[in-house]
C-alpha cells in the first residue's frame, strides 16, 4: 500500500503525475517544460536570493523525474535542462570570476548498497581485485557554501563562490573578514587554490536570528541560508559582523604537487593554518565507510554545525587522477547523504480504510515526494482528532491547525515506518477548502461507525457482516506470522471471499470437502488448475497442526500482536488451559484476571480484549468452529528453559542455509531467547548469514557479538 517510487497517481489528468513510461511525446515535452520552469526558479531562489522556495527533497525528486524523462526521450532534452548543471549562474551584484579549474559537485549515495557499488565501480575501473588495497577518506559533508581561495606567493588574492562551477562570484573582501581564513600562508606552492565550505555554527545561527528578529528583520530559514546570505553581502562590513566559519577539504589549481594522498593533503592544509574537520578518517573498505557514516550520523545533532552526509574520497591522488571525471562529477568521490527526513507536498485526498478490527483509518494520498531517499505517496493520518488538530488527551497539536484536502503538508518518516504528516501550511490553503468531515458510517458496509468512550478511533459496528473487516481478518489469518498457508495469500482470500467460498477462517479447512468434487471445483477456477488446487489443499492440510502461539495471533484479537501471543501461549502452554482461563475470567477481578495480568507484557487493555473475544457469542462460535478443525500444539514454557541464550536478545540477519529464518526464530524463542528484528544497544547476539548488510555493520559499530549460522548451531547443539 505504501508504494515506493510510485508516480502513477492521476490528478485531473495532468502530466505531472503520469508515470514516465506512460507519457506520450507531447506530454513528455510539456512536462519537461513545466519541470524546467519550476526547477529553474527554485535554483535561482536557492542560490541567488538565499531563500529556498522548494525543499531539497522535492527539488531532487523533480530533478530526477526530469532526468528520467530525458533518458526516455533524449530528443526532447531542453537547452535550459538542469540535469547536467552544478549550482546556478552568479548574481549580478558581484564581479564574475572564471575558475581556473572547475568546481564540481559530487555524485550521491543514499543507501549502504550504493556505497558498496561505488567501491565496486572503482575497483572495476582500476582493474583491482577485491583483495587489492584501496583506502578512502571519509569526512562529514558540511552544509554550507563552497568557496575557492586563491593564494599567489602565499598571499590571498582572490576568493570566489562556486556559482555554476565554471564562473563564480568575487567575494574576496568578504572572505577576508572570516577569521578561519588565513590571509598569508608560508611555504605553500606559488599558485595555490584551497577549496572548502563556509558555514555558520548552529549556536551562532540562533543568536543571529534573534538579532534579526529584534531588529524587525526576517529570520533565516537555516544556517546554510544564513551563511550564504552573509558571505554574499555587497557591504563586507555586514559580512564581518556575521560569525562565519570555514573548513578546507580540497584544492583547485596548484603550481606544484604538495601531497601524494588526500589525507596527506589535508594534513598539509592544516599545517598551512586552515581548519580541517577532525572527524575525517581513513577507511580500508566500504564496511568501514558505512560504519564511520553511522557513527557520524549518530553524533550529527551534537556537532554544533549542520552536515548533510559523509563524503568518501579515494585516498591515493594518483588513483584519483586515473579515475578522473564523468560529466560533472568525479569518479573517485561520492557524497553519502543522510536521509532528508522531512518534505513538503500536497495532500491530494483523504481516504478511509477499514481494518480488521473495524477501525476507520484515514490515509493521506499525497503528491509523490522524496523523503529519506524514498518516494512517498501515502501517509497515515491516525484518526479524526489528529486531522482536526487535537491529540489523544484533547490537547492541541500543530497549534490546533486542522488538515484539509488540498493542503500543503509536511511529511516525515521515523525509522522505516509508515510516513506521517507532521505539519500543515495553512498560508497556502485554498480559500474554499472545507474542514474534513469524518464519516459516521462505514464506507464499506454502511453500518454506523461509532467512537466509544476513551477510544481515539471510530469503528464500524458491522462486525463480521462488514466485508472489509471480514477480508482483513482473513488476510491477517493467513499472514506470515499466523497460518502462513502456501498458495493462499491476500489476493486469493479476497477472491474466495467475494465468491462466498471463504467467509470465516474455519471455511478454509472445509474448502477441500466443498470444492474438490461436484459442480464447482477449485481446479476449474480461473488462474487455478489440477496441480495448484491439489497443492493448496495439501498446504491447508499441513496447517491443521498449528502452534498455540500462531493460532492465538491468527485470531486477530485487538491488541494481541505476535510477541504478546507468544508470551500468553508460553504462559498457558495448552489451548485447553487458555480457553478455560479466558472463558471463566471476569474483567477487572478474580483469580483468572490476576493471572492474566501476571504475564509480563499483558496489561488491562489486552486482558480485557482477550476476555471479550472469548465471551462474545458470535466471536466465540467462530473460534470454536475453527479450532474443531485443528490440532493445536502446546507451547514450550518459557520460564523453564535453561540454555546459553535464555533471556538474551538475539537478532538474525542475512540468509540461513540450514533452516528458514522463521524456524531459526522459533528455535531461539523455544530456548528462551528474545528475538528482535533490529539491532540496538540491548542486543546481545547477532547471527549473521551471507548478505547480512547494514545490521552487521551496525552490530560491529556497537560492539555486539556476531556469529554465523554454524557457530549458532554449535551453540544450541543438543538443546
Ligand atoms: Zn463496515
Amino acid at each position: 500500500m505504501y508504494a515506493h517510487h510510485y508516480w502513477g497517481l492521476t490528478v485531473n489528468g495532468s502530466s505531472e503525475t503520469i508515470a514516465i513510461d506512460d507519457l506520450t511525446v507531447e506530454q513528455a515535452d510539456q512536462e519537461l517544460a513545466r519541470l524546467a520552469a519550476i526547477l529553474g526558479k527554485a535554483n535561482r531562489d536557492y542560490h541567488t536570493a538565499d531563500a529556498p522556495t522548494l525543499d531539497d527533497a522535492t527539488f531532487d525528486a523533480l530533478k530526477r523525474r526530469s532526468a528520467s524523462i530525458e533518458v526516455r526521450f533524449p530528443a526532447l532534452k531542453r537547452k535550459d535542462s538542469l540535469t547536467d548543471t552544478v549550482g546556478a549562474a552568479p548574481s549580478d551584484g558581484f564581479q564574475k570570476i572564471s575558475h581556473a579549474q572547475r568546481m564540481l559537485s559530487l555524485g550521491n549515495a543514499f543507501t549502504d548498497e550504493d556505497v558498496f557499488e561505488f567501491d565496486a565501480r572503482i575497483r572495476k575501473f582500476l582493474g583491482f581485485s577485491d583483495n587489492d588495497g584501496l583506502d578512502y577518506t571519509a569526512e562529514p559533508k558540511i552544509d554550507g557554501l563552497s568557496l575557492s581561495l586563491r593564494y599567489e606567493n602565499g598571499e590571498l588574492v582572490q576568493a570566489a563562490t562556486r556559482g555554476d562551477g565554471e564562473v563564480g562570484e568575487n567575494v574576496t573582501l568578504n572572505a577576508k573578514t572570516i577569521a578561519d581564513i588565513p590571509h598569508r600562508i608560508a611555504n605553500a606552492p606559488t599558485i595555490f587554490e584551497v577549496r572548502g565550505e563556509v558555514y555558520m555554527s548552529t549556536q551562532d545561527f540562533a543568536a543571529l536570528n534573534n538579532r534579526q528578529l529584534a531588529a524587525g528583520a526576517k529570520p533565516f530559514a537555516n544556517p546554510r541560508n544564513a551563511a550564504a546570505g552573509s558571505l554574499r553581502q555587497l557591504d563586507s562590513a555586514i559580512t564581518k559582523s556575521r560569525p562565519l566559519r570555514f573548513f578546507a577539504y580540497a584544492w583547485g589549481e596548484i603550481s606544484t604537487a604538495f601531497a601524494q594522498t588526500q589525507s596527506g593533503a589535508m594534513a598539509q592544509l592544516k599545517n598551512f593554518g586552515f581548519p580541517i574537520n577532525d572527524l575525517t578518517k581513513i577507511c580500508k573498505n566500504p564496511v568501514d565507510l558505512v560504519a564511520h557514516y553511522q557513527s557520524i550520523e549518530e553524533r550529527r545533532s551534537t556537532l554544533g554545525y549542520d552536515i548533510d552526509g559523509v563524503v568518501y574520497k579515494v585516498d591515493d591522488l594518483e588513483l584519483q587522477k586515473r579515475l578522473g571525471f564523468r560529466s560533472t562529477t568525479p569518479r573517485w568521490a561520492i557524497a553519502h547523504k543522510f536521509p532528508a527526513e522531512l518534505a513538503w507536498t500536497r495532500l491530494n485526498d483523504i481516504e478511509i480504510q477499514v481494518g480488521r478490527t473495524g477501525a476507520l483509518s484515514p490515509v493521506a494520498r499525497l503528491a509523490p515526494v522524496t523523503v529519506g531517499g524514498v518516494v512517498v505517496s501515502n501517509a497515515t493520518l491516525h484518526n479524526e482528532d489528529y486531522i482536526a488538530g487535537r491529540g489523544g488527551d484533547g490537547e492541541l497539536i500543530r497549534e490546533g491547525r486542522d488538515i484539509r484536502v488540498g493542503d500543503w503538508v509536511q511529511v516525515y518518516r521515523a525509522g522505516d515506518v509508515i510516513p506521517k504528516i507532521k505539519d500543515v501550511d495553512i498560508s497556502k490553503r485554498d480559500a474554499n477548502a472545507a474542514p474534513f468531515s469524518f464519516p459516521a458510517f462505514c464506507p464499506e458496509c454502511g453500518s454506523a461507525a461509532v467512537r466509544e468512550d476513551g477510544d481515539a478511533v471510530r469503528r464500524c459496528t458491522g462486525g463480521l457482516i462488514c466485508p472489509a473487516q471480514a477480508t482483513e481478518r482473513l488476510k491477517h489469518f493467513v499472514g506470515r506470522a499466523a497460518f502462513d498457508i502456501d498458495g493462499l495469500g491476500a489476493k486469493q482470500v479476497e477472491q474466495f471471499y467475494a465468491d462466498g467460498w471463504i467467509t470465516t477462517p474455519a471455511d478454509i479447512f472445509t474448502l477441500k470437502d466443498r470444492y474438490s468434487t461436484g459442480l464447482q471445483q477449485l481446479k476449474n477456477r480461473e488462474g487455478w488448475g489440477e496441480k495448484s488446487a491439489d497443492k493448496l489443499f495439501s498446504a491447508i492440510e499441513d496447517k491443521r497442526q498449528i502452534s498455540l502461539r500462531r493460532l492465538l495471533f491468527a485470531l486477530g484479537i485487538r491488541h494481541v500482536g505476535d510477541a504478546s501471543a507468544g508470551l500468553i501461549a508460553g504462559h498457558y502452554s495448552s489451548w485447553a488451559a487458555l480457553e478455560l482461563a479466558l472463558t471463566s475470567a471476569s474483567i477487572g477481578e478474580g483469580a483468572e484476571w490476576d493471572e492474566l495480568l501476571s504475564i509480563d507484557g499483558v496489561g488491562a487493555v489486552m486482558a480485557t480484549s482477550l476476555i471479550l473475544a472469548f465471551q462474545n457469542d458470535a466471536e466465540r462460535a467462530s473460534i470454536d468452529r475453527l479450532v474443531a478443525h485443528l490440532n493445536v500444539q502446546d507451547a514450550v514454557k518459557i520460564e523453564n528453559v535453561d540454555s546459553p541464550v535464555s533471556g538474551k536478545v538475539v537478532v538474525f540477519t542475512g540468509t540461513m542455509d540450514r533452516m528458514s529464518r522463521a524456524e531459526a526464530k522459533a528455535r531461539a524463542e523455544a530456548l528462551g531467547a528474545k528475538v528482535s528484528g533490529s539491532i540496538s544497544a540491548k542486543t546481545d547476539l547477532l547471527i549473521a548469514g551471507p548478505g547480512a548488510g547494514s545490521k552487521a555493520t551496525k552490530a560491529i559499530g556497537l560492539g555486539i557479538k556476531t556469529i554465523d549460522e554454524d557457530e549458532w548451531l554449535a551453540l544450541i547443539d543438543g538443546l
Side-chain angles (χ1 to χ4, degrees), residues 305-320:
Y305 48 86
D306 277 1
I307 59 174
D308 59 353
V310 178
V311 175
Y312 309 138
K313 293 172 182 164
V314 169
D315 193 37
D316 187 322
L317 298 185
E318 196 54 43
L319 294 181
Q320 284 192 7

Side-chain angles (χ1 to χ4, degrees), residues 330-590:
R331 280 195 192 86
W332 42 268
I334 200 164
H336 191 178
K337 300 288 275 283
F338 295 135
E341 292 105 342
L342 292 166
W344 286 93
T345 189
R346 186 178 289 279
L347 174 63
N348 288 331
D349 200 3
I350 296 176
E351 277 181 25
I352 304 293
Q353 292 184 341
V354 183
R356 94 186 126 80
T357 60
L360 269 55
S361 305
V363 175
R365 301 290 181 209
L366 306 166
V369 63
T370 303
V371 187
V374 174
V375 177
V376 167
S377 46
N378 300 301
T380 177
L381 285 165
H382 303 284
N383 54 54
E384 58 187 301
D385 283 353
Y386 190 83
I387 295 173
R390 287 189 305 271
D393 299 317
E395 78 279 13
L396 293 185
I397 51 173
R398 301 183 302 270
E399 295 167 346
R401 290 186 284 279
D402 70 328
I403 294 172
R404 303 182 186 183
V405 172
D407 274 345
W408 276 88
V409 292
Q410 193 179 32
V411 186
Y412 73 102
R413 292 169 68 225
D416 283 331
V417 298
I418 300 163
K420 296 177 177 170
I421 303 291
K422 183 170 183 174
D423 208 351
V424 54
D425 185 349
I426 52 174
S427 74
K428 291 187 182 168
R429 177 174 288 169
D430 191 288
N432 302 320
F436 182 70
S437 117
F438 205 90
F441 295 91
C442 172
E444 300 288 338
C445 72
S447 302
V450 300
R451 249 182 101 168
E452 281 170 19
D453 260 358
D455 195 347
V457 170
R458 195 172 278 276
R459 288 173 202 276
C460 163
T461 53
L464 292 172
I465 68 138
C466 176
Q469 286 188 56
T471 47
E472 288 307 313
R473 276 170 167 231
L474 285 167
K475 284 188 211 166
H476 173 80
F477 186 84
V478 299
R480 283 259 291 277
F483 271 68
D484 192 20
I485 297 168
D486 268 353
L488 192 60
K491 201 177 105 199
Q492 290 80 13
V493 160
E494 271 180 3
Q495 290 166 352
F496 287 140
Y497 182 86
D499 292 350
W501 284 27
I502 295 177
T503 52
T504 72
D507 298 337
I508 293 170
F509 294 94
T510 60
L511 197 67
K512 187 179 177 186
D513 294 345
R514 293 180 290 136
Y515 297 106
S516 63
T517 56
L519 287 176
Q520 274 191 314
Q521 293 190 30
L522 176 59
K523 66 177 183 187
N524 299 329
R525 269 185 84 107
E526 201 186 322
W528 293 83
E530 181 124 29
K531 243 175 141 178
S532 56
D534 282 347
K535 254 178 106 171
L536 178 60
F537 291 141
S538 97
I540 292 171
E541 283 311 300
D542 285 350
K543 296 294 160 102
R544 284 187 194 273
Q545 180 137 312
I546 195 82
S547 72
L548 180 57
R549 176 197 187 138
R550 280 183 181 266
L551 170 61
L552 182 56
F553 175 65
L555 294 179
I557 297 166
R558 246 172 97 192
H559 306 298
V560 182
D562 177 35
S564 311
L567 295 167
I568 296 163
H571 180 83
Y572 289 103
S573 183
S574 73
W575 172 256
L578 174 69
E579 184 197 12
L580 180 68
L582 293 176
T583 308
S584 48
S586 307
I587 293 169
E589 59 185 16

Side-chain angles (χ1 to χ4, degrees), residues 6-10 15-24 27 65 69 72:
Y6 180 68
W7 290 94
L9 297 173
T10 45
S15 59
E16 86 182 74
T17 47
I18 299 174
I20 288 164
D21 287 345
D22 298 338
L23 287 170
T24 64
Q27 285 170 329
R65 179 165 168 83
I69 296 173
R72 202 181 147 214

Side-chain angles (χ1 to χ4, degrees), residues 218-241:
K218 210 175 151 217
F220 292 98
N222 55 48
R224 179 182 58 199
N225 295 131
S230 302
L231 183 65
R232 299 171 64 265
Q233 287 289 336
L234 291 171
D235 178 357
S236 57
I238 296 177
T239 307
K240 191 172 179 168
S241 74

Side-chain angles (χ1 to χ4, degrees), residues 36-59:
I38 297 172
L39 291 168
K41 178 178 187 315
N43 206 26
R44 284 190 300 276
D45 291 343
Y46 178 97
H47 289 278
T48 318
D50 301 322
T53 46
L54 216 56
D55 64 279
D56 292 358
T58 312
F59 184 85

